């Protein structure tokens, strides 16, 4: 019997991605996390490279999704301790450790921690820089939002005294009788995603970590940078709290070290430069220096990021790793002695703080887990795979590994590997049978737009978290006086089971057709109440959430009357919106159960194979006359020298055996129409024969090819000069002569100041591979390798070391010059290592050139309506978390079409695209949230400005229609509302955030009929960053005056100029707009449009006689709670000084 | 070309120089160097030498024998072993330098200070003279701690050892070839 369960161990970004993929494909995921929260390392990071996205802003929505997903069973604070059985049928035992807090009852309010007398316990999440109580939560936005009690430190559990938390917990969630539980599951397959640990840098005594207070690790620095971290983003040093100015980053602390970690930790070079840049953004007077040996970029756009860090941010790079740090005992400043390899001399400099990039190591318990699972570890302790082409399959069938537990990896690679692993793990399982998932729901009650709104309001006390800082009784009495409010009451905890039942009962008793809950925040609790409504037959979109905790009680703790009045205003605003809420329905479309894969290289074939194995038809289109792509040109693959011909023919055989794959050779795509679920495709072969197919999903795997450097070094004219790939061919045919002098030149045409600026990532290891091969097979050859930085993968470091033993490595900063006048080629180069000018008499010169994108990409991009990046590679939806998706749903991207990468990565990415493409194929339908744009054809003037601002190709005037009226594809629309704000004819309505719903809120925000509190400020906050930042501000209890009335919109791009004008005309003294930082927008570019509109409206405001100071736009991220409070304080004070907006202006 | 320095032709490189070091057991680790510069920044005499340790290694690997043998670094090394202790690749630079010194003497590279020291030992049995005012000062200081006068070594024994070990011949050969000082 086939099983629907799949076990995922570890809930960092890898485990989260794998779980969501599998759950969406209809499998039941058992997700086990050792920690008390999910999120892993990524949750600890402040920003991510190279785009400087706020890490928690992009991760948190995924964490919440995991917790909510009906197909995911989440066990936190739990460990897998026994596994038996085999592929298809494993039995796993899970130990669920006692939290001493009932997970169902805990509301996450934190009253237990506040009262707990045991304090000063170093918080692991903040790397020990912040302290916990014995009752604690890992960090404010932890998922699940459930506290736990430290068994070792709790007074009650150890001495039977105290138990204050139990007395203080209004939800009665503290349960000291809780015991560890054992759970048993049968699973079809297992994904291991346990991540990594970091080495204790005190192992290198010379850096005095642990002894000198101002020597810290990169991870600690990450927490110092974070606005929600221990210093709320102030860069102050541990010894004396002084703001830092000169800071040093030291690379390779324990890694690339034969005695400690004999491999490269891979991502440290990039996080060092990221931290340096972010530090610089915090305080421009900071001067960071990075000490390194080779800078190693590992992915797309990273080389450019390093160059930007040097040029724009002034980050200093010193080649040469320091051997000594001494501390000035009086000032605690650090004296760093280092060699400068560019000059060959030794120098000394004083720094305020030194940040160590300590080596990434396998989890300390990796050996233990390996034993439980029966899988093997490699020489370094990471989980082992079959060979260098396989990143996902462990040594036991049915167990897959992903993320940094296999080899240190950055976020995009981890995400791709996670999805790749899920497509493999899914092969052993069957989807959850339909009868198990159907939930009986009553039919929906019909609510007509003409029905009088009957509104019920439930005001949450949240124990004392809300009711302690405002008068909830008074609020309820006030609400009862408002029109359309037929019922209002207080609840101790609105999220409790008990209150859910009360809400359901009242909906029926009072015949409610709108429901409002005034409580914590919609970002965590909206869907809970929406489900409650649905369970009694009320459309979930007739629910409105009002935040009176994060946005009120927690930020105005010292002014009860004003906080109470603000709550009345906020709820009245909610009621105003609720009156105009309409029932909305999910949008559905059918899916053609077939897929198209464009490109028959290794990535495309991997994708096709996984989709076909799942039982769906695949059309594999290849422009050449054979499959295999670039692999056909390579002689031996990787350092284990896998024969490429053998490997590729095995792969092609697999493709041919699959009845589900239709291969089209020598063919191209000439026409594409439609959208996710139903694309119509026209394929044309060389004889111009066309085939027409319809598919539900498209995968782009068109690859890349080696650059032929015709404007470098007489290439193409002199046969003695050739590329690495051409050398590969010569090696295959045994064409070299022994005893010759060969010069390898790296970075020919890549990493250029003008033109190709990117690093091609794979050429260094190719060069090392070839050098070793030549030396072995032509032992009397003399090889000189001229390089800039050596960039190799984690385990490949060893081969680099081997190559250096017998091969001359010379480092240049200025490109060598070649002289062809002789019978030999003279290569003139200045070697930085020895500081000499060398003239090499060479017989052959081999050039390492980058992979370049296919010229036909442009054509294909236009057909698919997907973007290319500035280098001509395809441009993914999000560089970190969606590296193999396009922003357009239903189209995916893998292999070198996305950017240069190795073969193993291409295979993993191919499988990853299969995993995402299978989601709609398996479901058979595509669903979209009803928060989408609607065009009123009577008003549309066909200007197509909506299409210009849409990042998803979801709206626009169809080219082949004579009507010139814009149309929305409801399946593609993401609901940002940018088009609605842009439309000059007011023809676009954004459902659930329509003008009719938002405008009454503006009116009520300004009205305020009890206290004449001035100034009155209306704040529009985007859901994903600024509203989340305001939430973080609340959770952290940063106080600001009560004058602000926030209005939540999905994106700052949703805010039309009319909202801003209306707010002023209604009488607001100030208007505030908060959005995501540029580059962070959840909808790609909505904030750019917001910025443009703000700039345009500023003149209008001035002309109306309104001081532009009354209007402000700020980018605030989800972690910048402190900044939110600061900005609010500052802005309110500024507007206060300007005084109330004069009545004549209002008229 | 970047720096205004002498040009060296690849044909002038001593391509087996690295193996001349590594064929002796103390020199095996030379090949492991990846040029990170840690040795130089840990070096106690870095401010006095004209070729920093990492560059000595780079020159040895490339075959720049003259550049290494002409450097004062090989003689100024205080054998503190901080380079060895710090090297992430366990390159034993202190021992490698000992081999390089041997090579230097054989080739006739011998700094005058060394000659003076060796001659002093052969003549008096000490590198620092133990006679006249110096002897008085030393004896007085030793007396403070209750130490006896120093007994001078037997010079004939010393000279015998020098002859038997071949140092004398080595020194004579070096003087003949003399390339520096």
């Amino acid at each position: 019997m086939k099983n629907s369960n799949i076990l995922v161990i570890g809930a960092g970004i890898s485990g989260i991605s794998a779980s969501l993929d599998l759950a969406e494909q209809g499998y039941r995921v058992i997700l086990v996390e050792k920690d008390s929260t999910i999120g892993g390392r990524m949750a600890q990071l402040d920003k991510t490279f190279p785009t400087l996205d706020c890490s928690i802003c992009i991760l948190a929505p995924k964490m919440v999704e995991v917790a909510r997903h009906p197909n995911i069973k989440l066990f936190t604070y739990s460990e897998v301790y026994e596994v038996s059985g085999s592929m298809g049928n494993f039995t796993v035992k899970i130990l669920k450790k006692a939290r001493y807090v009932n997970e169902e009852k805990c509301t996450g309010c934190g009253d237990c921690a506040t009262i707990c007398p045991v304090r000063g316990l170093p918080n692991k999440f903040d790397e020990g820089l912040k302290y916990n109580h014995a009752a604690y939560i890992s960090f404010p936005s932890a998922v699940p939002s459930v506290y736990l009690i430290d068994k070792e430190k709790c007074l009650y559990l150890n001495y039977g005294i105290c138990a204050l938390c139990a007395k203080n917990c209004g939800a009665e969630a503290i349960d000291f009788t809780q015991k560890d539980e054992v759970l048993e599951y049968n699973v079809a397959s297992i994904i291991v995603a346990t991540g990594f640990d970091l080495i204790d840098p005190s192992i290198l005594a010379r850096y005095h970590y642990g002894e000198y207070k101002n020597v810290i690790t990169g991870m600690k620095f990450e927490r110092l940078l974070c606005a929600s971290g221990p210093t709320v983003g102030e860069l102050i040093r541990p010894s004396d709290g002084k703001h830092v100015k000169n800071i040093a980053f030291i690379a390779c602390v324990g890694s690339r070290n034969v005695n400690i970690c004999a491999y490269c930790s891979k991502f440290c070079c990039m996080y060092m430069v990221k931290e340096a840049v972010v530090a610089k953004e915090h305080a421009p007077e900071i001067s960071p220096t990075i000490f390194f040996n080779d800078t190693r970029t590992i992915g797309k756009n990273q080389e450019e990021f390093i160059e930007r860090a040097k040029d724009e941010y002034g980050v200093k790079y010193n080649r040469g790793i320091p051997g000594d740090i001494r501390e000035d005992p009086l000032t605690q400043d650090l004296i760093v002695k280092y060699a400068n390899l560019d000059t060959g001399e030794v120098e000394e400099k004083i720094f305020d703080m030194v940040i160590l990039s300590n080596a990434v190591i396998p989890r300390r318990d990796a050996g233990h887990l390996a034993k439980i699972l029966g899988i093997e570890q490699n020489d370094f302790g990471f989980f082992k795979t079959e060979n260098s082409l396989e990143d996902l399959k462990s040594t036991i069938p049915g167990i897959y590994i992903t993320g940094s537990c296999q080899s240190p990896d950055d976020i995009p690679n981890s995400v791709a590997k996670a999805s790749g692993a899920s497509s493999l793990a899914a092969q052993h399982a069957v989807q959850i049978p339909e009868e198990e998932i159907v939930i009986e729901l009553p039919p929906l009650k019909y609510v007509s737009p003409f029905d009088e709104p009957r509104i019920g309001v439930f005001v949450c006390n949240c124990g004392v978290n809300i009711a302690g800082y405002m008068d909830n009784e008074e609020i309820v009495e006030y609400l009862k006086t408002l029109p359309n409010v037929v019922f209002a009451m207080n609840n101790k905890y609105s999220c409790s089971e008990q209150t859910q039942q009360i809400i359901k009962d009242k909906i029926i008793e009072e015949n409610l057709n709108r429901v409002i809950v005034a409580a914590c925040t919609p970002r965590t609790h909206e869907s809970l109440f929406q489900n409650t409504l649905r369970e009694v037959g009320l459309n979930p979109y007739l629910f409105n959430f009002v935040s009176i905790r994060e946005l009120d009680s927690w930020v105005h703790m010292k002014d009860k009357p004003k906080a109470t009045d603000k709550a009345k205003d906020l709820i009245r605003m909610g009621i105003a919106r609720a009156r105009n809420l309409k029932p909305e329905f999910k949008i559905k479309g059918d899916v053609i159960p077939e897929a198209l894969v464009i490109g028959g290289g290794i990535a495309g074939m991997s994708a096709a194979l996984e989709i076909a194995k799942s039982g769906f038809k695949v059309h594999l289109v290849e422009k050449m006359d054979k499959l295999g792509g670039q692999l056909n040109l390579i002689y031996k693959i990787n350092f284990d020298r896998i024969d490429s011909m053998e490997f590729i023919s095995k792969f092609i055989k697999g493709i041919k055996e699959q009845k589900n794959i239709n291969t089209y050779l020598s063919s191209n795509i000439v026409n594409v129409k439609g959208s996710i679920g139903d694309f119509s495709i026209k394929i044309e072969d060389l004889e111009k024969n066309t085939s027409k197919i319809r598919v539900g999903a498209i995968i782009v795997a068109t690859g890349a090819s080696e650059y032929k450097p015709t404007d470098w070094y007489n290439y193409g004219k002199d046969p003695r000069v050739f590329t690495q790939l051409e050398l590969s061919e010569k090696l295959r045919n045994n064409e070299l002569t022994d005893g010759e002098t060969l010069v390898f030149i790296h970075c020919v045409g890549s990493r250029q100041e003008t033109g190709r600026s990117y690093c091609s990532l794979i050429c260094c290891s190719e060069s090392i591979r070839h050098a070793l091969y030549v030396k072995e097979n032509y032992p009397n050859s003399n090889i000189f390798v001229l390089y800039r930085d050596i960039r190799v993968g984690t385990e490949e470091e060893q081969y680099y070391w081997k190559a250096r033993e017998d091969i001359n490595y010379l480092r240049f900063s200025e490109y060598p010059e070649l002289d062809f006048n002789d019978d030999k080629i003279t290569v003139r180069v200045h070697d930085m290592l020895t500081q000499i000018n060398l003239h090499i008499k060479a017989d052959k010169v081999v050039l390492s050139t980058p992979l370049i994108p296919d010229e036909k990409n442009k054509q294909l991009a236009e057909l698919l309506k997907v973007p290319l990046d500035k280098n001509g590679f395809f441009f993914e939806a999000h560089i970190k978390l969606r590296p193999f998706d396009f922003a357009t749903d239903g189209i995916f991207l893998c292999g070198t079409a996305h950017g240069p990468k190795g073969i193993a990565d291409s295979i993993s990415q191919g499988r990853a695209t299969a995993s995402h493409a299978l989601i709609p194929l398996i479901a058979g339908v595509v669903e979209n949230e009803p928060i989408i744009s609607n065009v009123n054809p009577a008003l549309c003037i066909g200007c197509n400005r909506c299409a210009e601002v849409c990042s998803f190709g979801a709206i626009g005037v169809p080219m082949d229609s004579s009507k010139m009226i814009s149309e929305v594809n409801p399946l593609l629309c993401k609901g940002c509302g940018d088009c609605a704000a842009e439309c000059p004819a007011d023809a676009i309505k954004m459902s659930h955030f329509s003008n009719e719903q938002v405008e009454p809120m503006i009116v009520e925000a300004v009205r305020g009929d009890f206290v004449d509190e001035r100034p009155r400020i209306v704040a529009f906050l985007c859901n994903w960053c600024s509203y989340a930042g305001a939430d973080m501000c609340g959770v952290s209890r940063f106080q600001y005056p009560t004058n602000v009335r926030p209005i939540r919109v999905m994106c700052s791009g949703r805010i039309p100029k009319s909202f801003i004008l209306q707010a002023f005309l209604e009488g607001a003294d100030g208007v505030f707009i908060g959005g995501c930082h540029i580059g962070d927008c959840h909808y790609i570019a909505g904030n750019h449009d917001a910025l443009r509109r703000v700039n345009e409206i500023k003149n209008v405001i001035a002309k109306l006689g309104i001081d532009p100071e009354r209007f402000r736009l700020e980018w605030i991220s989800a972690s910048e709670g402190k900044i939110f409070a600061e900005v609010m304080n500052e802005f309110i004070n500024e507007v206060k000084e300007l005084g109330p907006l004069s009545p004549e202006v209002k008229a | 070309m970047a720096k205004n320095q002498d040009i060296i032709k690849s044909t002038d490189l001593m391509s087996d120089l690295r193996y001349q070091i590594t064929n002796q057991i103390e020199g095996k680790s030379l090949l492991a160097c990846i040029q990170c510069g840690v040795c130089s920044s840990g070096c106690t005499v870095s401010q006095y030498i004209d070729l920093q340790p990492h560059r000595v290694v780079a020159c040895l690997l490339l075959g720049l024998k003259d550049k290494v043998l002409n450097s004062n670094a090989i003689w100024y090394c205080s054998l503190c072993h901080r380079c060895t202790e710090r090297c992430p690749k366990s390159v034993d630079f202190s021992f490698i330098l000992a081999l390089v010194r041997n090579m230097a003497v054989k080739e006739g590279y011998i700094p005058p200070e060394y000659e003076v020291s060796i001659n002093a030992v052969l003549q008096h049995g000490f590198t620092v003279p133990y006679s006249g005012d110096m002897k008085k000062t030393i004896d007085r200081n030793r007396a403070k701690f209750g130490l006896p006068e120093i007994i001078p070594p037997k010079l004939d024994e010393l000279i015998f050892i020098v002859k038997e070990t071949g140092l004398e011949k080595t020194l004579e050969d070096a003087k003949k070839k003399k390339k520096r000082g």
Side-chain angles (χ1 to χ4, degrees), chain A residues 257-259 293 320-321 323-324 337 341 344 346 804-806 808 828 830 833 835 837-839 841, chain B residues 1 3 5 8-10 18-19 31 33-36 38 41 43 46 52 55 58 82 86 88-90:
Chain A
N257 185 318
V258 73
N259 297 314
N293 182 6
I321 294 181
D324 249 350
K337 191 176 167 191
L341 268 70
V346 171
R804 272 198 99 112
E805 290 182 2
D806 295 306
N808 297 306
R828 288 174 291 169
H830 178 75
L833 304 177
Q835 298 280 333
N837 292 321
L838 189 65
H839 286 193
K841 292 275 177 205
Chain B
M1 203 55 54
K3 306 283 173 328
Q5 276 174 0
I8 291 169
K9 289 185 178 138
S10 61
R18 59 171 79 186
Y19 305 113
L31 301 180
C33 176
I34 54 167
Q35 289 288 311
C36 67
V38 167
S41 58
C43 180
S46 60
Q52 298 299 335
R55 272 177 73 193
R82 282 163 63 98
R86 280 161 174 68
K89 293 292 313 292
S90 289

Side-chain angles (χ1 to χ4, degrees), chain A residues 1067-1088:
Chain A
D1069 302 308
V1071 174
F1072 179 85
I1073 293 179
C1076 304
H1077 285 273
I1078 290 293
D1080 279 13
C1081 180
H1082 190 78
Y1083 304 102
I1084 300 172
N1087 49 4
H1088 286 267

Side-chain angles (χ1 to χ4, degrees), chain A residues 541 577 582-588 889 927-936 950 952 954-955 967-981 987-997 1050 1054 1083:
Chain A
Y541 292 89
R577 175 172 182 240
K582 293 190 169 47
E584 310 279 358
F585 301 91
K586 285 206 167 168
I587 291 116
K588 287 187 184 182
D889 284 341
E927 270 193 350
N928 197 8
E929 284 292 315
I931 305 178
I932 56 159
S933 296
N934 299 280
V935 179
N936 182 341
C950 181
F952 307 98
I955 193 169
E967 283 175 13
V968 180
N969 183 330
L971 289 172
L972 294 183
C973 178
K974 301 281 178 215
C976 60
D978 202 348
C979 53
I988 300 172
K989 192 177 122 186
M990 185 62 227
S991 43
H992 213 52
F993 286 90
S994 68
N995 290 8
E996 296 80 59
Q997 288 157 355
M1050 293 313 281
R1054 165 68 187 103
Y1083 304 102

Side-chain angles (χ1 to χ4, degrees), chain A residues 1023-1066:
Chain A
N1023 180 60
W1024 305 98
C1025 292
S1026 293
Y1027 195 89
D1031 275 357
M1032 178 55 82
C1033 176
V1035 171
S1036 317
R1037 318 291 205 273
F1038 296 128
Q1039 307 291 302
Y1040 54 88
T1042 51
N1043 310 56
V1044 186
R1045 300 290 176 269
I1047 295 175
R1048 181 172 73 116
V1049 286
M1050 293 313 281
C1051 177
S1052 54
R1054 165 68 187 103
I1055 304 155
K1057 295 173 209 168
S1058 65
F1059 284 4
I1060 300 161
L1061 283 179
Q1062 192 203 349
F1064 279 121
L1065 296 179
E1066 295 287 349

Side-chain angles (χ1 to χ4, degrees), chain B residues 4 13 23 29 34 62-63 68 76-77 79 96-98 101 128 146 174 177 181:
Chain B
N4 190 17
L13 296 174
N23 65 18
S29 61
I34 54 167
L62 193 57
V68 175
Y76 279 24
C77 169
L79 280 171
I96 289 167
L97 266 195
R101 277 185 204 143
V128 178
K177 286 192 201 163

Side-chain angles (χ1 to χ4, degrees), chain A residues 62-101:
Chain A
K62 284 194 172 256
M63 289 164 64
V64 173
E65 211 182 327
V66 164
R68 277 182 195 162
H69 205 290
N71 291 353
I72 300 177
K73 270 188 175 314
L74 174 63
F75 298 105
T76 52
Y77 209 47
S78 303
E79 279 174 51
V80 171
Y81 78 94
E82 202 182 301
V83 174
S84 57
S86 61
M87 181 176 79
N89 189 21
F90 292 100
T91 306
V92 296
K93 284 187 182 164
I94 299 162
L95 179 73
K96 192 173 184 309
K97 290 181 279 183
R99 290 175 97 107
Y100 305 103
V101 174

